[in-house]
């Protein structure tokens, strides 16, 4: 999908340091500092326009959230949502997920959310998938012991690939749904993509997986 260039995006992100974390490497190992409360920390990788992370923050004020998005032209929409919601337990980072180890120390993060990630369907692009083993290793390095990944997608191929990748890595499959919206799962918060895809009749697949203490 071609993104519309927003030349003003960088300035807007810079003008809202209360919601956008600049130079996040300074908080590595001490993420309680930029938040008003010292609480568990959940991150969403590929936060898009921010609906999920903002609604999660509103629903769970006892948890701190960070939405991570690489594209400036996308994350400014998430910033609008966070500003409107006036939540002090939600912040945004405009960084590359492949470099999370620069910004988070071991045990900084309690949970990782992966929602409707790019499936990168071509075999030669496998290493770009956010559920590829190298990314699973990155998450393991920043999560608490027995930390979790919560994963949603409408792409059956990516879901099947991810379940295989999770299992091969040694993760515990705690929850698997092949049709989330027809299941008895409670408390689901939809992303923008989820609402669009489900309205077309697409199934939504969901998994919760947990790292095992080694």
């Amino acid at each position: 999908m071609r993104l519309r260039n927003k030349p003003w995006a960088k300035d807007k992100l810079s003008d809202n340091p209360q919601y956008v974390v600049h130079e996040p490497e300074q908080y590595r190992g001490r993420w309680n500092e930029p938040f008003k409360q010292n609480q568990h920390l959940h991150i969403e990788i590929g936060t898009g326009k921010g609906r999920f992370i903002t609604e999660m923050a509103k629903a769970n004020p006892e948890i701190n959230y960070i939405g991570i998005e690489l594209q400036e032209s996308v994350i400014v929409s998430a910033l609008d949502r966070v500003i409107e919601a006036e939540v002090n337990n939600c912040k945004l980072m405009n960084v590359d997920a492949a470099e999370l180890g620069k910004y988070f120390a071991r045990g900084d993060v309690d949970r990782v959310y992966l929602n409707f990630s790019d499936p990168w369907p071509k075999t030669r692009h496998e290493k770009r998938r956010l559920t590829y083993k190298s990314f699973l290793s990155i998450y393991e390095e920043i999560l608490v012991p027995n930390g979790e990944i919560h994963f949603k997608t409408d792409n059956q191929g990516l879901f099947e690939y991810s379940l295989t990748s999770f299992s091969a890595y040694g993760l515990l499959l705690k929850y698997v749904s092949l049709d989330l919206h027809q299941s008895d799962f409670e408390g689901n918060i939809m992303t923008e993509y989820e609402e669009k895809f489900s309205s077309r009749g697409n199934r939504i697949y969901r998994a919760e997986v947990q790292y095992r203490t080694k």
Side-chain angles (χ1 to χ4, degrees):
M1 180 178 67
R2 186 180 180 86
L3 294 176
R4 183 168 63 87
N5 182 42
K6 299 176 181 177
W8 44 266
K10 184 181 294 292
D11 287 341
K12 183 164 185 175
L13 296 176
S14 297
D15 291 343
N16 288 276
Q18 71 274 39
Y19 294 118
V20 182
V21 182
H22 302 290
E23 299 182 357
E25 59 274 10
Q26 68 181 306
Y27 297 115
R28 189 175 187 271
R30 48 194 184 94
W31 274 99
N32 60 302
E33 293 184 12
F35 288 95
K36 292 186 176 182
Q37 300 293 332
N38 185 9
Q39 305 178 144
H40 289 309
L41 178 62
H42 295 183
I43 67 174
E44 182 188 19
I45 300 173
T47 203
K49 296 181 179 180
R51 175 177 175 177
F52 176 84
I53 203 73
T54 304
E55 292 302 318
M56 288 293 285
K58 288 165 62 176
N60 303 284
E62 75 285 358
I63 298 171
N64 292 332
Y65 292 90
I66 298 178
I68 296 169
E69 175 59 49
L70 180 60
Q71 303 294 336
E72 287 181 348
S73 295
V74 176
I75 201 171
V76 289
S77 295
L79 176 57
D80 286 337
R81 281 188 178 273
V82 175
I83 292 172
E84 182 180 2
E86 296 183 330
V87 283
N88 58 24
N89 62 325
C90 183
K91 297 189 182 298
L92 302 171
M93 286 170 53
N94 180 213
V95 300
D96 188 344
E99 299 181 338
L100 289 179
K102 292 182 179 179
Y103 314 118
F104 299 99
R106 183 179 295 275
D108 274 349
V109 179
D110 294 271
R111 183 178 297 169
V112 171
Y113 294 100
L114 303 174
N115 292 319
F116 300 88
S117 309
D118 192 326
W120 294 106
K122 295 181 180 179
T123 302
R124 69 175 185 271
H125 292 152
E126 178 187 11
K127 293 182 179 180
R128 300 183 185 182
R129 298 170 191 163
L130 292 181
T131 53
Y132 181 66
K133 61 184 178 182
S134 63
F135 280 104
L136 298 182
S137 177
I138 291 171
Y139 310 148
E140 184 176 24
E141 287 299 310
I142 67 174
L143 280 163
V144 296
N146 303 121
E148 296 182 355
I149 299 171
H150 289 195
F151 172 63
K152 286 197 291 187
T153 183
D154 73 313
N155 188 293
Q156 182 178 350
L158 178 62
F159 192 69
E160 292 172 352
Y161 169 87
S162 299
L163 293 183
T164 301
S165 183
F166 294 148
S167 296
Y169 197 85
L171 295 172
L172 175 66
L173 300 178
K174 295 184 63 179
Y175 175 90
V176 175
S177 175
L178 302 180
D179 194 349
L180 177 62
H181 292 186
Q182 298 302 316
S183 73
D184 59 359
F185 182 81
E186 297 181 358
N188 180 53
I189 290 179
M190 289 199 291
T191 74
E192 292 89 352
Y193 279 119
E194 183 174 354
E195 184 174 49
K196 180 173 70 174
F197 294 148
S198 62
S199 69
R200 296 174 179 174
N202 295 21
R203 283 189 182 187
I204 304 300
Y205 302 90
R206 186 178 187 276
E208 296 178 10
V209 297
Q210 184 178 49
Y211 286 86
R212 304 172 191 261
T213 303
K214 296 179 180 179

